[in-house]
Amino acid sequence: MINGFYMEIGLEPKDAVDWSYRGEGAVNLVLAYTGSSPSFLGKMMRIQKMPNDGKEENGNTSGNGLTSHEKVIWGECKELVSCQNKEVVEFLFVKHVMRPLLGHKHVNPGMRLLVAKEFLESVENIVTSQRPSWRADAASVDTNRNSVLLMDDLTLFAHGRVEDKPCLSVEIKPKCGFLPSSSFIAQENVIKKSITRFEMHQVLKLQDNEISEISEYNPLDLFSGSKDRIHKAIRALYATPQNNFRVFLNGSLVFGGLGGGICKTTSKVEQDFEHLLKDIIKTTDDGLRANHFIELVAETVYTSGVLDHLLDVQKLDKYNIEGAIHVYYDLINQPCKVCKELEKSTTTSSRTQFSSMHSIPMDEKVNLLKEFLISATAKDCSVMISFRSTNDVISRSSSHSNLHLESAKQEFDYKVHFIDLDMRPLKKMEVYYELDKKIMNTYLEMMKKKEALGERRRDHKPQ
């Protein structure tokens, strides 16, 4: 390692052919290693993207990519704010902020790997045709970076060696697992306290043609701690994966979509998936392997208890964006745009309540924003669960957890990790607030239309 952060080995343009496209999110591309170098077997890399319009999310950044206000928020982590390299800052955030909160066993911060600019340019040329067109149109590989993040490929069970035992991995994006109860939620948005953010966001996504049908998935079921409700949640994710549920077999995607996601599991998709499971779930019940798979995932979520940790971190958001946005404007020392909006529409008591947010001590404001941003990371991260049958050759390993799936009469080793734990830029507070308004307005408009339709039907009902 160099300075404790970088691997001494670097990558040149000729190495690009050994990395294949695995998927991507809004900020990063993910590539898996397909070559034969022992240094990289069982590894994957995350490469940052640059929007094609040239606009970066953060303004007024220092050399390490943090704004002066972000340095105040993360000031307790001296190594993070003193670091002069943007890529290392992101690595240190996972290591020093998210890992202690979610558990060392379940978070692997990875290692920075030095790369040549020409390597990144070669990667861009190779993977462009493999990416969803809407992703490629929006952003490209950021070729100005001098390093990438190297991590264990969690879709494989063994790292640094080839293993002939099949490995099945499931990637779940759980989303927010609780209903907010903040007193700062406006009266017209009180439905937030009884309907999940996921359900309301589905309506907006349908309207914007991002999805073709609304998912039955309810995050509250997945986080409930109830075996039956967790099973219901996994079955709903399986039925409408969208970008919230993907399955890999030996590192290759076999269910769900690359970058975008698929909306519905058709009978053809299920039939193909059933066939792929035959080497993992050794049951004579043809046609029931997918059911056993759903039960395996649900049992693991229930038994591992990892979502309890995630839920605790999500609940660091105590004020909802409707409360936290006021504190954001105080920290950046700008007049509160939200108060200006609310002056026209709210009562005096409501305005008094929001003004109380502006009068709390600055150290409390800093802590409130820090917890909100940590919560935002936790609400949008993914959980990767990897399985390996312990029958036949491989005996139970003390380094991995073990589960008995009664319905299939099989034993499995499993491991669980949290991934996509990126630091959220402070500037995104305004984006979060605007998106929240859009979600609420769209959902409430849909409710009004439903009510109006119901009234018309009642009026025309024969007496």
Side-chain angles (χ1 to χ4, degrees):
M1 291 191 299
I2 301 172
N3 299 329
F5 300 127
Y6 294 99
M7 281 185 70
E8 291 179 13
I9 192 168
L11 293 178
E12 299 298 325
K14 62 180 173 57
D15 300 312
V17 294
D18 292 330
W19 296 88
S20 66
Y21 180 78
R22 171 65 61 76
E24 63 187 289
V27 180
N28 299 288
L29 274 172
V30 180
L31 307 182
Y33 186 65
T34 56
S36 56
S37 168
S39 299
F40 298 118
L41 282 177
K43 299 293 183 183
M44 54 181 268
M45 71 166 63
R46 291 178 64 190
I47 302 178
Q48 287 217 307
K49 301 192 295 187
M50 168 69 78
N52 287 336
D53 60 11
K55 294 177 183 174
E56 288 220 57
E57 284 188 322
N58 267 9
N60 303 318
T61 58
S62 59
N64 66 0
L66 293 181
T67 65
S68 57
H69 301 114
E70 286 170 333
K71 284 186 174 183
V72 172
I73 287 175
W74 307 113
E76 288 179 4
C77 187
K78 303 298 182 191
E79 189 180 11
L80 194 156
V81 295
S82 63
C83 178
Q84 293 304 305
N85 184 293
K86 187 172 182 178
E87 288 99 330
V88 176
V89 164
E90 290 150 0
F91 159 79
L92 292 172
F93 172 75
V94 176
K95 182 180 178 182
H96 293 307
V97 179
M98 299 308 298
R99 197 180 192 191
L101 289 169
L102 293 171
H104 284 61
K105 180 182 177 183
H106 302 298
V107 178
N108 178 1
M111 180 64 62
R112 300 307 308 185
L113 177 67
L114 293 170
V115 294
K117 181 183 179 76
E118 293 77 14
F119 169 82
L120 294 175
E121 289 171 345
S122 296
V123 166
E124 170 70 18
N125 291 334
I126 290 168
V127 305
T128 297
S129 62
Q130 302 166 40
R131 299 173 62 197
S133 58
W134 67 278
R135 289 283 195 191
D137 291 343
S140 306
V141 170
D142 186 350
T143 56
N144 293 317
R145 301 280 174 163
N146 65 4
S147 72
V148 296
L149 184 65
L150 188 72
M151 308 178 75
D152 288 340
D153 186 345
L154 299 174
T155 67
L156 303 172
F157 223 94
H159 298 118
R161 62 187 174 87
V162 177
E163 185 181 57
D164 59 3
K165 196 73 175 173
C167 173
L168 191 71
S169 300
V170 181
E171 181 183 341
I172 301 171
K173 194 181 274 288
K175 305 307 285 185
C176 182
F178 71 100
L179 294 171
S181 57
S182 169
S183 60
F184 292 95
I185 293 172
Q187 185 57 41
E188 61 267 26
N189 296 335
V190 75
I191 198 166
K192 276 187 188 180
K193 298 181 180 183
S194 56
I195 303 290
T196 67
R197 162 68 171 245
F198 179 85
E199 182 178 336
M200 290 190 284
H201 201 174
Q202 288 279 294
V203 175
L204 176 61
K205 286 184 173 184
L206 186 68
Q207 178 180 287
D208 290 348
N209 295 316
E210 289 181 35
I211 57 174
S212 58
E213 68 175 76
I214 286 177
S215 171
E216 294 295 318
Y217 169 62
N218 184 340
L220 302 186
D221 289 334
L222 192 68
F223 285 90
S224 67
S226 157
K227 197 179 286 192
D228 289 342
R229 289 182 66 188
I230 292 170
H231 189 278
K232 179 185 174 187
I234 300 299
R235 184 164 289 284
L237 285 167
Y238 176 77
T240 48
Q242 296 181 4
N243 67 337
N244 302 303
F245 193 77
R246 301 198 297 170
V247 184
F248 300 85
L249 180 60
N250 298 330
S252 297
L253 182 71
V254 294
F255 185 90
L258 280 172
I262 58 171
C263 272
K264 187 171 184 175
T265 301
T266 62
S267 56
K268 175 70 168 66
V269 168
E270 185 159 25
Q271 191 177 345
D272 292 344
F273 186 57
E274 183 81 26
H275 179 72
L276 286 163
L277 291 172
K278 69 182 190 307
D279 292 329
I280 300 283
I281 297 177
K282 306 287 182 66
T283 178
T284 56
D285 301 329
D286 282 341
L288 292 178
R289 289 190 188 93
N291 286 334
H292 291 317
F293 159 77
I294 290 167
E295 188 178 342
L296 174 64
V297 178
E299 284 282 340
T300 306
V301 170
Y302 175 77
T303 303
S304 68
V306 291
L307 291 189
D308 295 342
H309 298 295
L310 184 60
L311 186 59
D312 287 342
V313 180
Q314 290 184 354
K315 285 183 174 179
L316 289 173
D317 170 17
K318 303 180 188 75
Y319 295 90
N320 194 257
I321 186 61
E322 292 189 50
I325 190 67
H326 296 273
V327 173
Y328 162 73
Y329 284 112
D330 285 348
L331 182 69
I332 65 171
N333 200 26
Q334 287 187 16
C336 182
K337 295 177 186 175
V338 178
C339 279
K340 201 169 183 179
E341 279 178 29
L342 294 171
E343 277 175 13
K344 303 165 190 171
S345 57
T346 57
T347 61
T348 304
S349 61
S350 295
R351 290 196 292 273
T352 303
Q353 184 184 25
F354 290 122
S355 66
S356 70
M357 285 295 280
H358 293 287
S359 61
I360 62 175
M362 184 53 76
D363 61 336
E364 288 183 34
K365 291 176 181 176
V366 168
N367 192 59
L368 187 157
L369 286 169
K370 179 179 77 173
E371 291 187 338
F372 183 92
L373 292 172
I374 291 171
S375 169
T377 293
K379 289 174 186 175
D380 206 37
C381 75
S382 294
V383 181
M384 185 71 82
I385 309 172
S386 300
F387 300 98
R388 175 181 65 182
S389 172
T390 57
N391 297 346
D392 308 320
V393 182
I394 298 177
S395 59
R396 292 191 188 190
S397 167
S398 58
S399 63
H400 301 298
S401 302
N402 186 268
L403 183 85
H404 174 73
L405 185 63
E406 178 58 34
S407 61
K409 300 291 190 287
Q410 249 183 292
E411 301 280 336
F412 291 90
D413 275 343
Y414 72 86
K415 56 183 182 178
V416 186
H417 286 87
F418 295 106
I419 60 173
D420 300 336
L421 297 169
D422 306 298
M423 177 191 283
R424 294 308 190 252
L426 179 63
K427 195 174 182 180
K428 287 210 80 172
M429 292 294 294
E430 293 181 74
V431 176
Y432 292 143
Y433 182 73
E434 291 304 318
L435 177 60
D436 187 73
K437 276 204 304 186
K438 197 173 180 183
I439 289 170
M440 292 310 306
N441 291 341
T442 306
Y443 189 80
L444 292 171
E445 189 62 36
M446 181 272 293
M447 293 288 287
K448 281 181 192 171
K449 285 177 182 174
K450 271 190 172 180
E451 286 169 15
L453 185 63
E455 284 175 13
R456 281 202 298 274
R457 282 177 177 165
R458 282 194 295 274
D459 291 343
H460 289 91
K461 196 174 180 182
Q463 297 298 319

